[in-house]
Amino acid sequence: MTQSTTTRDTSTLRNRRTGPTSSREALQALEDSQAAGLSPEDDTQSSNGTSHHLSAGGHVSRDPQSGGVVLMLVAGLSFATRLYRITEPPHVCWDETHFGKMGSYYINRTFFFDVHPPLGKMLIGLAGYMTGYDGSFPFAKPGDKYEHHNYWGMRGLCAVLGSFLPIFAYLIVLNLSRSYTAALITATLVICDTGCITISQYILLDPILLFFIMAAVLSMVNFSLQRFRPFTSSWWLWLILTGVNLAGALGVKFVGLFVVLLVGLNTVWDLWRLLGDLSLSLVEITKHFLARIVGLILVPLFLYVTIFAVHFVVLNKSGPGDGFYSSAFQSRLIGNNLHNASMPEYLAYGSIITVKNLRIAGGYLHSHWHLYPEGVGARQQQVTAYLHKDYNNVWLVHRPDNNASQPGTADLVRHGDIIRLEHKETTRNLHGHLHEAPLTKKHFQVTGYGINGTGDTNDLWQVEVCGGRKGDLVKVLRSKVRFLHRATGCVLYSSGKTLPKWGWEQVEVTCSPYLKETPSSQWNIEDHVNPKWPNISLSVLKPHFLEILLESHIVMIRGNSGLKPKDNEMNSKPWHWPIDYQGLRFSGVNDTEYRVYLLGNPVVWWMNLASLGLYPIMVAVASIALQRGFSLGQKRKEHSLVLQREGGLLLLGWLLHYAPFYTMGRVLYFHHYFPAMLFSSMLTGITFDVLLKSTDLLLRPPYSDWLRRLGLLVLLLSVLYSFYLFHPLSYGMTGPLAHEPGSAMAGQKWMDSWEF
């Protein structure tokens, strides 16, 4: 034996203890036992890693068949409850009008704008295409009958993905706690939640998002269980699957960033633990670090970018989303007036043009017959920025004196020239004055003034080519142009603010006294018609992939932040959600219609709420007991550590998916809580499991075992009975409303804020 080996063995003997003497050491012991595939309820470790079985205490069974039977039962009930009556009602429900329509756009390859990344809509479109839907249904408004159109495939995809949520929740809790009781409680809560059922049965992004979030968490947990077998095939499999599912979650909605953050924090903790393992060399630690960069950063990034690449390839035809994007972006869309178009290269007097703001989603310079209301500046014709192509976006370029000239170089507009812009439809001039702007109070109002070319000196604007010199020509699409108002010295500006109803919710246009060059004050000439000048091809202006990828993200983020509640639109607050304060009408409003109401099973949600309050109390008591060295027994100590660590991970997941909504200024809906609800349900499973296993603090065996089994039975039966009471919310109601005489749901209206 070498001297180093002798020293190491001596050190091992010197530091060996009969059991963990602190919470830190106990935690490490639990990590080691779980990584070896052991139950925390076993006092001894199994060297061969055999599976454990469900004992009277509810821990993992040595018989793998019992686990398989429970999993099959969970799967069967999950699919049965989600797929039941998915074709009912046979009309458009709630946001199916948006996401069903977007699925149709993919089938028709028509470009559109949405505030969410494209993966969810692509999957919906693919499901419809694979099941015979031809993309012809308009999805105009909720209540429209589907008639002969094959909509069941798109609903079926969402229902199938939603059916995996109880299965994933069951496996996550089982792998975290090694307790079938905790896993069974969790699966029962999710299976019997009417909210989870309802949100899984319609053409929505939510079941797709929830699928990837839960799949990412399950993959992360399974990867953690492989920590004692690094760089094996199963270790790599779960690492890569974690990255794949992170890309999926983020590719459906930006709230997928919350699960990315959860996995990131868990990975940082994992690497920190590895750094403290002195048995690992720096080379091995570096290998671990690089592997996680590949699996959790590069792979998701590659897949996420690939999703957008497919999105841009498929949606290659002009559609309703063109106006949200730059002129160069639009030039790649078949059917857009800029695709393979040709027009005069330089702006000239007498041209018919459209002018587009360079701010992302800044819109086209626009006017219409409507006037500003009383009390909003001068009561003259409104000038706005409009995000869509429209005949009211068309303007004529005139000399300030209205004199025409013959074709020649003097007929071209140059840097420093004074022009007048006449709105083609209404024949009023673009006009500025010192009245206050409608929303941006430090700016001046811009209006339409005059008639048939007549006006005053407030209609004159000086053309300035950004970065140009006097005499430079204005290039169509390429030149960044500013329009300086001659009378006041301000610059034409798109504020990005949405006007009220009187302004048709279009974007405010002002004249800014602040002359700093910004995209909001820069414009380009997009459409350009002038028969006096020769045309050139615009194909050279098509942007490359990275440019359109970046632009699409800026547009989505701005669109997301601009979502504001509309009149009579249901809007909820984050504090409403955990208490199940108010649901959402998916279908029907009166006693003659087929009604579906999105509301969480109140027994499930209030159990989750109770566990959120109970959990910190139990953790505090357990932590104090461990810190003070009370004799809790090995099993109870391990239960407490599972509660602290594994429960803490789930509590962190709940917080990450819930707390950020308090900081958001956009419109919020009840369904935004469902990712957090899944984490709280898993936390409830672990919390109630540990609570039931603590009955031996009150009674001695076998009475404590009887009490534990009775408590579990009462809990499960309560959830099942509540599902029986509230299942019509998911599967449809007819007849009188809950507050009306003779209603079958009258006894279930436990809160006045419920509207079914």
Side-chain angles (χ1 to χ4, degrees):
M1 182 182 297
T2 65
Q3 182 177 357
S4 61
T5 305
T6 304
T7 302
R8 185 169 61 250
D9 292 346
T10 303
S11 174
T12 302
L13 289 171
R14 183 168 60 248
N15 290 286
R16 181 179 299 165
R17 296 192 173 100
T18 57
T21 60
S22 70
S23 60
R24 180 183 295 274
E25 292 169 348
L27 180 61
Q28 185 61 49
L30 179 61
E31 285 183 349
D32 296 346
S33 66
Q34 286 194 344
L38 302 175
S39 165
E41 305 183 31
D42 292 320
D43 292 325
T44 59
Q45 295 186 0
S46 171
S47 60
N48 60 4
T50 55
S51 60
H52 291 63
H53 69 121
L54 185 63
S55 70
H59 56 270
V60 181
S61 169
R62 295 181 185 277
D63 180 11
Q65 292 184 352
S66 62
V69 170
V70 175
L71 181 59
M72 289 178 60
L73 177 64
V74 169
L77 291 174
S78 298
F79 279 89
T81 53
R82 272 66 181 168
L83 293 173
Y84 178 63
R85 301 185 71 176
I86 62 166
T87 58
E88 297 293 331
H91 60 247
V92 178
C93 294
W94 196 50
D95 270 359
E96 285 188 329
T97 186
H98 298 303
F99 302 118
K101 183 185 299 181
M102 293 171 188
S104 298
Y105 285 145
Y106 278 104
I107 294 173
N108 297 318
R109 306 191 69 176
T110 303
F111 187 78
F112 65 95
F113 164 73
D114 186 42
V115 298
H116 305 300
L119 178 59
K121 284 98 64 179
M122 283 199 293
L123 292 176
I124 288 171
L126 178 62
Y129 178 77
M130 297 295 291
T131 53
Y133 172 59
D134 60 4
S136 61
F137 186 72
F139 287 95
K141 64 183 184 302
D144 287 354
K145 299 290 185 181
Y146 283 117
E147 297 177 343
H148 63 279
H149 295 278
N150 291 331
Y151 63 96
W152 61 267
M154 293 181 283
R155 282 191 181 176
L157 168 74
C158 296
V160 167
L161 295 182
S163 299
F164 279 97
L165 301 182
I167 301 171
F168 288 164
Y170 172 86
L171 292 173
I172 290 168
V173 173
L174 180 63
N175 288 337
L176 286 175
S177 67
R178 314 303 295 176
S179 168
Y180 274 134
T181 302
L184 185 61
I185 292 172
T186 299
T188 304
L189 294 175
V190 181
I191 288 173
C192 295
D193 180 53
T194 50
C196 285
I197 293 173
T198 304
I199 210 165
S200 298
Q201 289 195 308
Y202 297 92
I203 306 171
L204 303 171
L205 298 185
D206 299 271
I208 307 174
L209 171 69
L210 295 173
F211 172 86
F212 283 114
I213 288 175
M214 294 294 283
V217 175
L218 177 61
S219 301
M220 177 188 73
V221 170
N222 284 341
F223 172 69
S224 297
L225 294 179
Q226 305 297 319
R227 69 170 67 94
F228 277 68
R229 295 188 293 172
F231 306 110
T232 60
S233 58
S234 59
W235 186 91
W236 278 109
L237 172 66
W238 290 114
L239 176 64
I240 298 299
L241 281 179
T242 303
V244 169
N245 288 307
L246 290 179
L250 190 56
V252 176
K253 282 188 175 184
F254 284 128
V255 293
L257 281 170
F258 299 151
V259 76
V260 172
L261 183 57
L262 177 65
V263 172
L265 292 174
N266 186 73
T267 302
V268 169
W269 169 251
D270 189 32
L271 290 172
W272 181 254
R273 183 185 57 81
L274 289 173
L275 189 62
D277 186 351
L278 300 182
S279 66
L280 296 177
S281 68
L282 290 178
V283 173
E284 291 174 304
I285 293 174
T286 302
K287 288 169 60 179
H288 276 278
F289 180 74
L290 293 177
R292 285 159 175 80
I293 287 179
V294 171
L296 301 180
I297 297 178
L298 297 183
V299 168
L301 183 61
F302 171 76
L303 293 176
Y304 182 76
V305 171
T306 301
I307 290 169
F308 276 89
V310 174
H311 168 73
F312 293 135
V313 168
V314 173
L315 301 185
N316 64 350
K317 297 179 182 178
S318 178
D322 294 14
F324 290 87
Y325 294 82
S326 69
S327 304
F329 187 103
Q330 295 177 43
S331 67
R332 50 177 293 278
L333 298 172
I334 299 172
N336 188 283
N337 62 311
L338 298 177
H339 180 72
N340 293 333
S342 59
M343 61 183 64
E345 183 176 9
Y346 299 106
L347 180 64
Y349 293 103
S351 294
I352 301 172
I353 64 171
T354 60
V355 185
K356 183 170 175 48
N357 187 257
L358 296 188
R359 176 191 181 103
I360 298 299
Y364 294 92
L365 187 63
H366 177 95
S367 188
H368 41 237
W369 288 104
H370 302 279
L371 307 181
Y372 286 102
E374 290 287 350
V376 181
R379 188 165 171 75
Q380 297 176 6
Q381 185 169 296
Q382 296 175 18
V383 172
T384 65
Y386 189 47
L387 297 177
H388 305 280
K389 293 181 180 294
D390 187 84
Y391 64 91
N392 276 326
N393 300 340
V394 179
W395 300 81
L396 303 175
V397 182
H398 293 303
R399 295 181 180 277
D401 55 6
N402 277 344
N403 292 330
S405 63
Q406 299 301 317
T409 57
D411 222 20
L412 295 174
V413 177
R414 299 175 180 272
H415 177 97
D417 282 2
I418 309 300
I419 66 170
R420 180 172 55 82
L421 290 176
E422 178 188 327
H423 189 242
K424 187 174 187 296
E425 176 68 16
T426 64
T427 71
R428 299 190 188 278
N429 298 325
L430 185 68
H431 180 89
H433 46 223
L434 295 177
H435 289 273
E436 191 177 69
L439 302 179
T440 309
K441 300 303 183 182
K442 294 184 178 181
H443 290 195
F444 302 130
Q445 184 187 36
V446 176
T447 68
Y449 180 75
I451 190 74
N452 293 327
T454 62
D456 59 25
T457 56
N458 281 333
D459 302 337
L460 303 182
W461 302 81
Q462 183 173 359
V463 177
E464 179 186 279
V465 179
C466 297
R469 295 175 295 179
K470 187 172 180 62
D472 285 352
L473 298 174
V474 179
K475 294 183 179 180
V476 173
L477 288 181
R478 302 176 188 177
S479 292
K480 298 179 181 180
V481 178
R482 301 205 307 166
F483 298 97
L484 276 69
H485 191 242
R486 288 289 291 171
T488 63
C490 57
V491 62
L492 191 66
Y493 189 93
S494 173
S495 71
K497 298 177 181 178
T498 302
L499 293 168
K501 291 292 186 181
W502 57 257
W504 303 94
E505 297 182 337
Q506 296 174 9
V507 179
E508 179 193 41
V509 168
T510 69
C511 198
S512 171
Y514 308 104
L515 301 183
K516 181 180 179 181
E517 288 188 3
T518 66
S520 295
S521 64
Q522 295 173 333
W523 307 76
N524 72 266
I525 309 303
E526 182 172 289
D527 297 290
H528 184 212
V529 177
N530 193 323
K532 298 178 180 179
W533 295 93
N535 294 335
I536 64 163
S537 174
L538 302 181
S539 60
V540 295
L541 298 176
K542 290 182 180 179
H544 57 71
F545 173 71
L546 292 181
E547 287 178 319
I548 62 176
L549 180 66
L550 176 61
E551 180 176 344
S552 64
H553 278 77
I554 296 174
V555 172
M556 284 189 294
I557 293 170
R558 284 183 50 81
N560 231 318
S561 62
L563 291 174
K564 305 297 180 185
K566 300 178 181 178
D567 292 345
N568 301 319
E569 186 178 25
M570 185 66 66
N571 182 32
S572 62
K573 301 183 184 301
W575 69 266
H576 291 172
W577 305 338
I579 63 175
D580 212 19
Y581 179 77
Q582 193 172 42
L584 272 172
R585 289 194 186 101
F586 265 42
S587 173
V589 294
N590 57 53
D591 58 358
T592 62
E593 296 177 321
Y594 188 96
R595 303 188 305 278
V596 176
Y597 191 69
L598 175 67
L599 183 73
N601 182 331
V603 172
V604 171
W605 285 53
W606 295 343
M607 279 186 180
N608 289 344
L609 187 62
S611 86
L612 288 170
L614 188 61
Y615 174 80
I617 297 174
M618 293 175 61
V619 168
V621 171
S623 300
I624 292 172
L626 287 172
Q627 189 69 17
R628 295 298 299 169
F630 290 134
S631 178
L632 300 179
Q634 184 67 19
K635 287 187 179 180
R636 190 174 295 113
K637 185 181 296 184
E638 290 168 348
H639 296 162
S640 300
L641 292 171
V642 167
L643 186 68
Q644 292 177 21
R645 187 187 64 178
E646 322 302 350
L649 177 66
L650 297 175
L651 179 65
L652 177 62
W654 176 78
L655 285 171
L656 290 175
H657 287 83
Y658 176 54
F661 287 102
Y662 281 94
T663 66
M664 295 184 185
R666 57 153 289 172
V667 59
L668 298 175
Y669 300 104
F670 175 56
H671 69 95
H672 288 142
Y673 184 67
F674 278 85
M677 178 268 172
L678 292 174
F679 282 96
S680 68
S681 296
M682 293 188 286
L683 179 61
T684 299
I686 289 180
T687 302
F688 278 37
D689 177 48
V690 173
L691 184 64
L692 290 171
K693 288 172 182 174
S694 301
T695 54
D696 55 358
L697 293 173
L698 302 175
L699 299 172
R700 294 182 178 181
Y703 305 108
S704 61
D705 293 336
W706 296 348
L707 180 59
R708 177 168 57 247
R709 290 168 181 163
L710 178 62
L712 178 62
L713 183 63
V714 169
L715 188 153
L716 296 179
L717 289 179
S718 299
V719 173
L720 291 172
Y721 183 65
S722 67
F723 173 71
Y724 166 75
L725 289 178
F726 288 95
H727 76 274
L729 300 179
S730 298
Y731 299 129
M733 303 167 284
T734 55
L737 303 179
H739 64 276
E740 296 175 346
S743 172
M745 297 297 293
Q748 281 72 57
K749 197 173 189 299
W750 296 353
M751 296 182 69
D752 292 337
S753 54
W754 296 349
E755 299 174 324
F756 54 80

